[in-house]
Amino acid sequence: MDRRQLLDRAARSGDERILLAHVLDKYEQCAQRNIPAATGFLSPAEQRSAQELLHAAAIHSGFAFCGGYERAERKMLLFLPDWQEQADESAYMAALRCTYRKEDALTHRDFLGSLMAQGVTRDTLGDILVSDGSCDLLVTRELAPYLLQNVTSAGRVRLSIGEIDLSALNVPPLSVKEIRDTVSTLRLDAVTASGFSMSRGRAQELIASGRVQLNHRETLKADAPVAQGDVISARGLGKFDVAEVGGLSRKGRTAILLRRYL
């Protein structure tokens, strides 16, 4: 399958085609020159698209998704030459720590908005880890010097900024709520209703409006099947994963264990 056929098969939109063409460029750069190559930071949906492309191209090794820490959401796709066994994240990304007074409560949105206002593009930013009085930014290695020179505030709050080792990242603890429930069917609308504590009708409305993603893909079908290990998210509501699917109750309902991220 040539490059055009591969993109025709894998891309679902013009924007996705551009992204996947960039992924192929990086793969070919690594393969032809035998040097490491990396994309920018990819969202979970973009990572899935890239994985599907690599699978379609029968590329099953020689790459890694890296985001600076184990639970990173946004990750780079690193392609490794045959002489490199393990990805060196620090060659492509940097960790910057912004500090400020704890009384100045800042949010993820405050930092993202401030960086976007400076013309920073989303693919140059990884996760934004906000704690009391500090925020750690994962950024591309190329962007780091600019931010170190130019980031002085988030909104009206003054910041001090410096580079830290990736191993020193302050990762907020994961907050998860377990939900044990039974559903009449393992359809997307029924499981979404359980995970977000809403009626099935409301879940169907969200799905039809394009606000629900199943495994990081927008899904418009309320009857899409759901299985153990799937991740369901809804814009403005968060996400949860299907941790366990159990057996049937006496009334014919299926037991499920969901983990909702708070």
PDB file of all heavy atoms in Angstrom, residues 75-95:
ATOM      1  N   LYS A  75       0.925  13.106  24.506  1.00  0.00           N
ATOM      2  CA  LYS A  75       2.211  12.429  24.321  1.00  0.00           C
ATOM      3  C   LYS A  75       2.783  12.699  22.934  1.00  0.00           C
ATOM      4  O   LYS A  75       2.052  12.915  21.975  1.00  0.00           O
ATOM      5  CB  LYS A  75       2.047  10.907  24.496  1.00  0.00           C
ATOM      6  CG  LYS A  75       1.595  10.491  25.888  1.00  0.00           C
ATOM      7  CD  LYS A  75       1.427   8.986  25.978  1.00  0.00           C
ATOM      8  CE  LYS A  75       0.976   8.559  27.367  1.00  0.00           C
ATOM      9  NZ  LYS A  75       0.792   7.087  27.462  1.00  0.00           N
ATOM     10  N   MET A  76       4.120  12.646  22.859  1.00  0.00           N
ATOM     11  CA  MET A  76       4.815  12.667  21.579  1.00  0.00           C
ATOM     12  C   MET A  76       4.940  11.239  21.059  1.00  0.00           C
ATOM     13  O   MET A  76       4.999  10.282  21.838  1.00  0.00           O
ATOM     14  CB  MET A  76       6.225  13.234  21.751  1.00  0.00           C
ATOM     15  CG  MET A  76       6.310  14.714  22.032  1.00  0.00           C
ATOM     16  SD  MET A  76       8.057  15.190  22.210  1.00  0.00           S
ATOM     17  CE  MET A  76       7.928  16.960  22.050  1.00  0.00           C
ATOM     18  N   LEU A  77       4.994  11.108  19.747  1.00  0.00           N
ATOM     19  CA  LEU A  77       5.291   9.825  19.127  1.00  0.00           C
ATOM     20  C   LEU A  77       6.746   9.866  18.677  1.00  0.00           C
ATOM     21  O   LEU A  77       7.112  10.663  17.802  1.00  0.00           O
ATOM     22  CB  LEU A  77       4.357   9.586  17.939  1.00  0.00           C
ATOM     23  CG  LEU A  77       4.621   8.360  17.071  1.00  0.00           C
ATOM     24  CD1 LEU A  77       4.728   7.084  17.889  1.00  0.00           C
ATOM     25  CD2 LEU A  77       3.554   8.233  15.988  1.00  0.00           C
ATOM     26  N   LEU A  78       7.573   9.052  19.310  1.00  0.00           N
ATOM     27  CA  LEU A  78       9.005   9.009  19.014  1.00  0.00           C
ATOM     28  C   LEU A  78       9.311   7.786  18.164  1.00  0.00           C
ATOM     29  O   LEU A  78       8.922   6.664  18.506  1.00  0.00           O
ATOM     30  CB  LEU A  78       9.825   8.954  20.307  1.00  0.00           C
ATOM     31  CG  LEU A  78       9.526   9.998  21.393  1.00  0.00           C
ATOM     32  CD1 LEU A  78      10.514   9.859  22.542  1.00  0.00           C
ATOM     33  CD2 LEU A  78       9.566  11.407  20.825  1.00  0.00           C
ATOM     34  N   PHE A  79      10.026   7.993  17.072  1.00  0.00           N
ATOM     35  CA  PHE A  79      10.493   6.896  16.231  1.00  0.00           C
ATOM     36  C   PHE A  79      11.969   6.655  16.514  1.00  0.00           C
ATOM     37  O   PHE A  79      12.766   7.608  16.554  1.00  0.00           O
ATOM     38  CB  PHE A  79      10.273   7.222  14.753  1.00  0.00           C
ATOM     39  CG  PHE A  79       8.822   7.232  14.359  1.00  0.00           C
ATOM     40  CD1 PHE A  79       8.148   8.428  14.171  1.00  0.00           C
ATOM     41  CD2 PHE A  79       8.132   6.041  14.199  1.00  0.00           C
ATOM     42  CE1 PHE A  79       6.809   8.432  13.807  1.00  0.00           C
ATOM     43  CE2 PHE A  79       6.784   6.033  13.839  1.00  0.00           C
ATOM     44  CZ  PHE A  79       6.129   7.228  13.652  1.00  0.00           C
ATOM     45  N   LEU A  80      12.331   5.405  16.716  1.00  0.00           N
ATOM     46  CA  LEU A  80      13.677   5.055  17.149  1.00  0.00           C
ATOM     47  C   LEU A  80      14.453   4.365  16.030  1.00  0.00           C
ATOM     48  O   LEU A  80      13.935   3.437  15.389  1.00  0.00           O
ATOM     49  CB  LEU A  80      13.614   4.118  18.363  1.00  0.00           C
ATOM     50  CG  LEU A  80      12.706   4.556  19.518  1.00  0.00           C
ATOM     51  CD1 LEU A  80      12.747   3.507  20.626  1.00  0.00           C
ATOM     52  CD2 LEU A  80      13.129   5.908  20.049  1.00  0.00           C
ATOM     53  N   PRO A  81      15.696   4.786  15.793  1.00  0.00           N
ATOM     54  CA  PRO A  81      16.540   4.078  14.823  1.00  0.00           C
ATOM     55  C   PRO A  81      16.946   2.716  15.375  1.00  0.00           C
ATOM     56  O   PRO A  81      16.764   2.441  16.570  1.00  0.00           O
ATOM     57  CB  PRO A  81      17.749   5.008  14.681  1.00  0.00           C
ATOM     58  CG  PRO A  81      17.811   5.733  15.994  1.00  0.00           C
ATOM     59  CD  PRO A  81      16.390   5.909  16.443  1.00  0.00           C
ATOM     60  N   ASP A  82      17.515   1.862  14.518  1.00  0.00           N
ATOM     61  CA  ASP A  82      17.816   0.500  14.962  1.00  0.00           C
ATOM     62  C   ASP A  82      18.911   0.427  16.019  1.00  0.00           C
ATOM     63  O   ASP A  82      19.052  -0.578  16.703  1.00  0.00           O
ATOM     64  CB  ASP A  82      18.180  -0.388  13.763  1.00  0.00           C
ATOM     65  CG  ASP A  82      19.304   0.191  12.916  1.00  0.00           C
ATOM     66  OD1 ASP A  82      20.081   1.031  13.423  1.00  0.00           O
ATOM     67  OD2 ASP A  82      19.415  -0.195  11.732  1.00  0.00           O
ATOM     68  N   TRP A  83      19.678   1.529  16.178  1.00  0.00           N
ATOM     69  CA  TRP A  83      20.745   1.519  17.185  1.00  0.00           C
ATOM     70  C   TRP A  83      20.276   2.026  18.552  1.00  0.00           C
ATOM     71  O   TRP A  83      21.031   2.016  19.513  1.00  0.00           O
ATOM     72  CB  TRP A  83      21.936   2.358  16.720  1.00  0.00           C
ATOM     73  CG  TRP A  83      21.601   3.735  16.226  1.00  0.00           C
ATOM     74  CD1 TRP A  83      21.384   4.120  14.944  1.00  0.00           C
ATOM     75  CD2 TRP A  83      21.423   4.922  17.032  1.00  0.00           C
ATOM     76  NE1 TRP A  83      21.085   5.465  14.876  1.00  0.00           N
ATOM     77  CE2 TRP A  83      21.114   5.986  16.140  1.00  0.00           C
ATOM     78  CE3 TRP A  83      21.508   5.195  18.399  1.00  0.00           C
ATOM     79  CZ2 TRP A  83      20.881   7.286  16.580  1.00  0.00           C
ATOM     80  CZ3 TRP A  83      21.277   6.497  18.838  1.00  0.00           C
ATOM     81  CH2 TRP A  83      20.973   7.517  17.939  1.00  0.00           C
ATOM     82  N   GLN A  84      19.030   2.474  18.648  1.00  0.00           N
ATOM     83  CA  GLN A  84      18.504   3.016  19.906  1.00  0.00           C
ATOM     84  C   GLN A  84      17.407   2.115  20.439  1.00  0.00           C
ATOM     85  O   GLN A  84      16.387   1.907  19.787  1.00  0.00           O
ATOM     86  CB  GLN A  84      17.968   4.438  19.696  1.00  0.00           C
ATOM     87  CG  GLN A  84      17.569   5.136  20.990  1.00  0.00           C
ATOM     88  CD  GLN A  84      17.168   6.591  20.764  1.00  0.00           C
ATOM     89  OE1 GLN A  84      17.013   7.042  19.636  1.00  0.00           O
ATOM     90  NE2 GLN A  84      17.005   7.331  21.846  1.00  0.00           N
ATOM     91  N   GLU A  85      17.608   1.577  21.631  1.00  0.00           N
ATOM     92  CA  GLU A  85      16.647   0.642  22.204  1.00  0.00           C
ATOM     93  C   GLU A  85      15.549   1.333  23.008  1.00  0.00           C
ATOM     94  O   GLU A  85      14.433   0.838  23.104  1.00  0.00           O
ATOM     95  CB  GLU A  85      17.361  -0.382  23.104  1.00  0.00           C
ATOM     96  CG  GLU A  85      18.315  -1.301  22.347  1.00  0.00           C
ATOM     97  CD  GLU A  85      18.936  -2.338  23.247  1.00  0.00           C
ATOM     98  OE1 GLU A  85      18.633  -2.325  24.464  1.00  0.00           O
ATOM     99  OE2 GLU A  85      19.720  -3.168  22.749  1.00  0.00           O
ATOM    100  N   GLN A  86      15.879   2.483  23.617  1.00  0.00           N
ATOM    101  CA  GLN A  86      14.930   3.154  24.496  1.00  0.00           C
ATOM    102  C   GLN A  86      14.840   4.629  24.151  1.00  0.00           C
ATOM    103  O   GLN A  86      15.850   5.275  23.840  1.00  0.00           O
ATOM    104  CB  GLN A  86      15.350   2.991  25.966  1.00  0.00           C
ATOM    105  CG  GLN A  86      14.306   3.431  26.966  1.00  0.00           C
ATOM    106  CD  GLN A  86      14.686   3.042  28.386  1.00  0.00           C
ATOM    107  OE1 GLN A  86      15.744   2.464  28.613  1.00  0.00           O
ATOM    108  NE2 GLN A  86      13.838   3.345  29.330  1.00  0.00           N
ATOM    109  N   ALA A  87      13.622   5.166  24.187  1.00  0.00           N
ATOM    110  CA  ALA A  87      13.407   6.567  23.849  1.00  0.00           C
ATOM    111  C   ALA A  87      14.001   7.487  24.901  1.00  0.00           C
ATOM    112  O   ALA A  87      13.885   7.233  26.102  1.00  0.00           O
ATOM    113  CB  ALA A  87      11.912   6.841  23.718  1.00  0.00           C
ATOM    114  N   ASP A  88      14.642   8.556  24.457  1.00  0.00           N
ATOM    115  CA  ASP A  88      15.188   9.571  25.351  1.00  0.00           C
ATOM    116  C   ASP A  88      14.247  10.777  25.321  1.00  0.00           C
ATOM    117  O   ASP A  88      14.376  11.663  24.481  1.00  0.00           O
ATOM    118  CB  ASP A  88      16.596   9.965  24.900  1.00  0.00           C
ATOM    119  CG  ASP A  88      17.214  11.042  25.780  1.00  0.00           C
ATOM    120  OD1 ASP A  88      16.643  11.318  26.865  1.00  0.00           O
ATOM    121  OD2 ASP A  88      18.243  11.619  25.395  1.00  0.00           O
ATOM    122  N   GLU A  89      13.294  10.790  26.251  1.00  0.00           N
ATOM    123  CA  GLU A  89      12.281  11.851  26.264  1.00  0.00           C
ATOM    124  C   GLU A  89      12.897  13.240  26.389  1.00  0.00           C
ATOM    125  O   GLU A  89      12.435  14.197  25.766  1.00  0.00           O
ATOM    126  CB  GLU A  89      11.310  11.628  27.420  1.00  0.00           C
ATOM    127  CG  GLU A  89      10.437  10.410  27.313  1.00  0.00           C
ATOM    128  CD  GLU A  89       9.537  10.265  28.516  1.00  0.00           C
ATOM    129  OE1 GLU A  89      10.019   9.818  29.568  1.00  0.00           O
ATOM    130  OE2 GLU A  89       8.335  10.581  28.400  1.00  0.00           O
ATOM    131  N   SER A  90      13.929  13.357  27.205  1.00  0.00           N
ATOM    132  CA  SER A  90      14.501  14.675  27.492  1.00  0.00           C
ATOM    133  C   SER A  90      15.135  15.327  26.269  1.00  0.00           C
ATOM    134  O   SER A  90      15.388  16.528  26.268  1.00  0.00           O
ATOM    135  CB  SER A  90      15.537  14.566  28.618  1.00  0.00           C
ATOM    136  OG  SER A  90      16.612  13.730  28.233  1.00  0.00           O
ATOM    137  N   ALA A  91      15.393  14.555  25.220  1.00  0.00           N
ATOM    138  CA  ALA A  91      15.947  15.143  24.006  1.00  0.00           C
ATOM    139  C   ALA A  91      14.893  15.928  23.233  1.00  0.00           C
ATOM    140  O   ALA A  91      15.228  16.777  22.406  1.00  0.00           O
ATOM    141  CB  ALA A  91      16.539  14.050  23.127  1.00  0.00           C
ATOM    142  N   TYR A  92      13.623  15.650  23.506  1.00  0.00           N
ATOM    143  CA  TYR A  92      12.548  16.252  22.728  1.00  0.00           C
ATOM    144  C   TYR A  92      11.604  17.114  23.542  1.00  0.00           C
ATOM    145  O   TYR A  92      10.859  17.911  22.973  1.00  0.00           O
ATOM    146  CB  TYR A  92      11.740  15.143  22.035  1.00  0.00           C
ATOM    147  CG  TYR A  92      12.589  14.314  21.115  1.00  0.00           C
ATOM    148  CD1 TYR A  92      13.121  13.103  21.549  1.00  0.00           C
ATOM    149  CD2 TYR A  92      12.905  14.763  19.850  1.00  0.00           C
ATOM    150  CE1 TYR A  92      13.935  12.347  20.715  1.00  0.00           C
ATOM    151  CE2 TYR A  92      13.712  14.017  19.009  1.00  0.00           C
ATOM    152  CZ  TYR A  92      14.227  12.804  19.451  1.00  0.00           C
ATOM    153  OH  TYR A  92      15.037  12.078  18.627  1.00  0.00           O
ATOM    154  N   MET A  93      11.591  16.918  24.858  1.00  0.00           N
ATOM    155  CA  MET A  93      10.680  17.711  25.688  1.00  0.00           C
ATOM    156  C   MET A  93      11.386  18.222  26.927  1.00  0.00           C
ATOM    157  O   MET A  93      12.390  17.652  27.371  1.00  0.00           O
ATOM    158  CB  MET A  93       9.456  16.880  26.075  1.00  0.00           C
ATOM    159  CG  MET A  93       9.725  15.732  27.014  1.00  0.00           C
ATOM    160  SD  MET A  93       8.238  14.728  27.354  1.00  0.00           S
ATOM    161  CE  MET A  93       8.063  13.856  25.788  1.00  0.00           C
ATOM    162  N   ALA A  94      10.860  19.305  27.454  1.00  0.00           N
ATOM    163  CA  ALA A  94      11.404  19.903  28.672  1.00  0.00           C
ATOM    164  C   ALA A  94      10.276  20.108  29.667  1.00  0.00           C
ATOM    165  O   ALA A  94       9.103  20.248  29.282  1.00  0.00           O
ATOM    166  CB  ALA A  94      12.077  21.235  28.358  1.00  0.00           C
ATOM    167  N   ALA A  95      10.620  20.138  30.941  1.00  0.00           N
ATOM    168  CA  ALA A  95       9.658  20.421  32.011  1.00  0.00           C
ATOM    169  C   ALA A  95       9.994  21.785  32.606  1.00  0.00           C
ATOM    170  O   ALA A  95      11.134  22.026  33.011  1.00  0.00           O
ATOM    171  CB  ALA A  95       9.718  19.344  33.084  1.00  0.00           C
TER     172      ALA A  95
END
